[in-house]
Amino acid sequence: MKIAIVGAGLAGLCAARSLLDAGEGELTVFESRAGPGLETSHANGALLHPSAVEPWNSPGILRFVLANLGNPRSPVLLRPRALPSLLGWGARFVHESAPARHRAHTLANVALALRSVQLMQGLRDEGIEYGAAQRGSLAIHRDAAAFAEAQERARWLREHGVPSRVLSRDEALALEPALAPIAGTLVGALHNTGDECGDAYRFCLAVGARLESRGVAFRWSTSVQALRAERGVLAGLCLADGREEPFDAVVLAAAWWSVALASRLGLKLPVRPVKGYSLTLPQPDDANDGTDAAAGPPPRTPIVDHDLHIAVVPVVGDRLRVAGTAEFCGEDRRLDPARIGNLMQLLLQLYPALAGHAKRAPRQEWTGLRPMCADGKPLIGATRVPGLYLNTGHGQLGWTTAAASGELLAAAVTRRAPPIDAAPFLPSRFGL
Ligand SMILES: Cc1cc2nc3c(=O)[nH]c(=O)nc-3n(C[C@H](O)[C@H](O)[C@H](O)COP(=O)(O)OP(=O)(O)OC[C@H]3O[C@@H](n4cnc5c(N)ncnc54)[C@H](O)[C@@H]3O)c2cc1C
C-alpha cells in the first residue's frame, strides 16, 4: 500500500515509524519545512508527563481565563480577535469540561501516555538518542489548600498507574537544592516519579534519520495543498506546484494545519491553535556566578509550577528550558517580546539566583501553536473518508503521547488489534 504522511513533527514521524514496523514499506512523508521537527515539536517543554495529561478545559481554567480577560501578563490569554474562530469549538470545549467527561478524558490520556513512556524505552534501546532523563518531575506548591487538592488528584492517578510521592518542603529541597532561595514560600511538592524529559527536536532528527535509512522517502520543503478524493474515497494529494500524486492512504499529521486540509473533504476537525512560548538558556555551571546574592547549585530536576503556570526543565544536561503561556489568538505566530519577558520574570521568581546568568547568557526564544482538540484528547485513526487517517490534535501533550499515537495509528491502518483502547481517540467521536 502506498501511504503518504503529511507532517514531520512528532505525530507524523511516530506514525511513519510504527507503520514501517508494521510492515508498511512504501511510505512518503511530506513536510512544508526544510527538515523534521521545525514547528510545534521544536522547543516544547520537553516533558513526557503522564502525571499532567488532564485536558485544559477544567472548570478552574475557564474561571481563570475569564478572570484574566484583557490582562496581557496573564499566563492564559484569550485574544478578542480569536473569538469568532473559537465559537463552536469553545462550546464543545466547555461541554467536555463536565466532571465525569473530564475524568474519562484524563484517564484515556493516562493510558496513552503510559504506553508512550513504555515505548520510549524501546526506542532508546534501539539507539534513538534525545537526551532522555528519568528524574521524574517535581510539582511544587505554595498554597496548603491547593496542595491538599493536588494530593487527592495524585492519589487518584496512582490508582490508575501514574506513580508519585508526596514530599515535605525539606524533602523537595533535598531533591532540588536550587529551590533553596524560595524554600520559605513552599508548603510541599509532588514528585511524579514516572515523568521523564528529553529534547523533542533531537528526537525528531534521530527518528527522521533512522526512517530515511530504512527507506522512507522524505519530501522536505514540500507543502501539501489539498487532499484529493474520488467518489468519496481518498485518491491522493495535490502539491503547491499543482502536481497531483496518487496514494492509497494519507495520514494527516499536520497539527493545526490539518484543519484546512481536512475541510476540503468536508471534515471539520475540532482543533484550534493555542500559542505557547519557550525560552532556552545554557545551564549555568553554578547558579551563583559571583554577582547574585543567593548561592546555589544549578537546577537539575524538572519543575512544574502550577502557581506560575510554567515548567522549567533541564534539557540534555546543558540547557535550561522554561515553557508556558497559553494564548487563544488564532493563527498568530509572531513572537511577542512582552510574552518572552513575562516568561523570564516567572523563571526568576522561581530561581532568583539565576538573575545574573539570565541577563548575560545567550537565549533561544521560541513560540509554537499547540493543536488543541475540543475534548483535550488527540484524534487518532480512520475517518469516514476511506483511506484518510488522522494523527493530530495533541495539544499540550504531543511529546508525551507521540510514540503511542503512532502505534495506534498503525494499528488502525493495518487493521490490527490496538495495544490500548483506541475508542477514546477515534475521529468518529466527532462524526469525522
Ligand atoms: C510552549 C509549548 C510547550 C509544550 N510543552 C510540552 C511538553 O512539555 N510535553 C508535551 O507532551 N507536549 C508539549 N507541547 C505540545 C507538543 O509540542 C505538541 O503537541 C506536538 O509538538 C505536536 O506535534 P505535531 O507533530 O502534531 O505538530 P508539529 O510538530 O507542528 O508537526 C506538524 C508538521 O506538519 C507540517 N505541515 C503543516 N502543514 C503542512 C502541509 N500543508 N504540507 C506539509 N507539511 C505540513 C508542519 O510544517 C509541521 O512540521 C508543548 C507545546 C508548546 C507550544
Side-chain angles (χ1 to χ4, degrees):
M1 181 155 63
K2 269 185 78 180
I3 304 176
I5 294 138
V6 186
L10 286 163
L13 291 167
C14 288
R17 198 200 105 84
S18 294
L19 283 166
L20 197 59
D21 284 353
E24 294 296 341
E26 255 194 280
L27 302 176
T28 307
V29 180
F30 291 87
E31 168 55 55
S32 302
R33 303 286 300 259
L38 290 172
E39 284 291 347
T40 327
S41 306
H42 190 63
N44 65 17
L47 282 168
L48 291 111
H49 46 173
S51 70
V53 295
E54 287 185 339
W56 276 2
N57 54 352
S58 66
I61 275 283
L62 296 177
R63 268 198 306 276
F64 189 87
V65 171
L66 294 175
N68 281 281
L69 265 182
N71 170 9
R73 300 184 65 79
S74 169
V76 187
L77 250 188
L78 176 60
R79 301 270 189 205
R81 67 172 173 276
L83 275 172
S85 68
L86 289 174
L87 283 182
W89 181 90
R92 186 71 191 245
F93 190 69
V94 173
H95 174 75
E96 297 295 342
S97 72
R101 284 196 197 94
H102 192 260
R103 268 197 305 276
H105 299 332
T106 302
L107 289 184
N109 283 345
V110 162
L112 193 63
L114 290 174
R115 177 67 186 156
S116 250
V117 168
Q118 202 181 357
L119 290 173
M120 293 303 272
Q121 177 62 53
L123 284 159
R124 290 194 295 276
D125 293 345
E126 281 174 29
I128 299 293
E129 205 287 312
Y130 57 94
Q134 280 94 23
R135 291 175 64 89
S137 74
L138 196 59
I140 57 169
H141 286 272
R142 298 173 181 79
D143 176 79
F147 187 35
E149 231 175 80
Q151 288 179 55
E152 191 48 40
R153 208 167 40 241
R155 191 192 55 69
W156 176 66
L157 286 173
R158 276 197 297 277
E159 285 170 11
H160 295 280
V162 181
S164 63
R165 55 194 188 114
V166 178
L167 302 187
S168 67
R169 173 176 33 206
D170 288 348
E171 288 168 329
L173 279 182
L175 188 67
E176 182 46 86
L179 291 171
I182 62 153
T185 66
L186 302 181
V187 293
L190 281 165
H191 184 202
N192 294 303
T193 49
D195 290 358
E196 303 187 351
C197 65
D199 186 340
Y201 179 50
R202 201 150 145 175
F203 177 85
C204 288
L205 289 173
V207 172
R210 179 65 59 86
L211 291 176
E212 224 161 357
S213 74
R214 290 177 64 190
V216 174
F218 281 91
R219 306 272 290 274
W220 303 120
S221 307
T222 307
S223 281
V224 172
Q225 204 67 9
L227 305 176
R228 207 168 57 75
E230 278 169 15
R231 286 186 287 279
V233 176
L234 191 111
L237 37 80
C238 307
L239 302 178
D241 61 9
R243 266 181 306 135
E244 291 187 2
E245 299 205 10
F247 283 96
D248 303 308
V250 170
V251 176
L252 201 45
W256 140 251
W257 301 279
S258 305
V259 174
L261 289 170
S263 76
R264 295 275 293 271
L265 297 185
L267 301 178
K268 293 196 182 332
L269 307 193
V271 174
R272 293 294 178 273
V274 180
K275 189 174 176 177
Y277 283 88
S278 78
L279 192 59
T280 308
L281 305 169
Q283 182 72 289
D285 295 331
D286 179 347
N288 181 16
D289 59 3
T291 56
D292 297 315
R300 293 285 175 222
T301 307
I303 301 288
V304 176
D305 188 329
H306 291 292
D307 298 322
L308 301 181
H309 295 270
I310 53 168
V312 181
V313 181
V315 183
V316 199
D318 61 352
R319 282 166 290 148
L320 193 63
R321 177 163 301 153
V322 49
T325 78
E327 260 179 77
F328 295 84
C329 58
E331 198 188 339
D332 173 358
R333 301 166 75 187
R334 279 172 305 169
L335 198 136
D336 179 351
R339 302 297 283 169
I340 288 287
N342 204 24
L343 215 47
M344 180 62 94
Q345 266 187 9
L346 296 173
L347 172 68
L348 298 182
Q349 275 180 44
L350 181 68
Y351 289 125
L354 287 181
H357 174 70
K359 220 178 276 166
R360 287 183 297 277
R363 64 195 203 193
Q364 181 200 356
E365 302 172 350
W366 177 79
T367 182
L369 298 175
R370 302 175 184 92
M372 193 71 75
C373 187
D375 66 358
K377 294 178 303 182
L379 297 160
I380 309 169
T383 67
R384 62 182 155 79
V385 176
L388 178 62
Y389 298 82
L390 302 177
N391 189 13
T392 187
H394 288 267
Q396 79 281 17
L397 291 176
W399 182 210
T400 307
T401 49
S405 76
E407 192 184 42
L408 277 190
L409 187 283
V413 174
T414 57
R415 297 171 196 268
R416 293 186 189 156
I420 60 167
D421 184 11
F425 310 104
L426 292 178
S428 57
R429 71 190 191 272
F430 290 102
L432 299 169

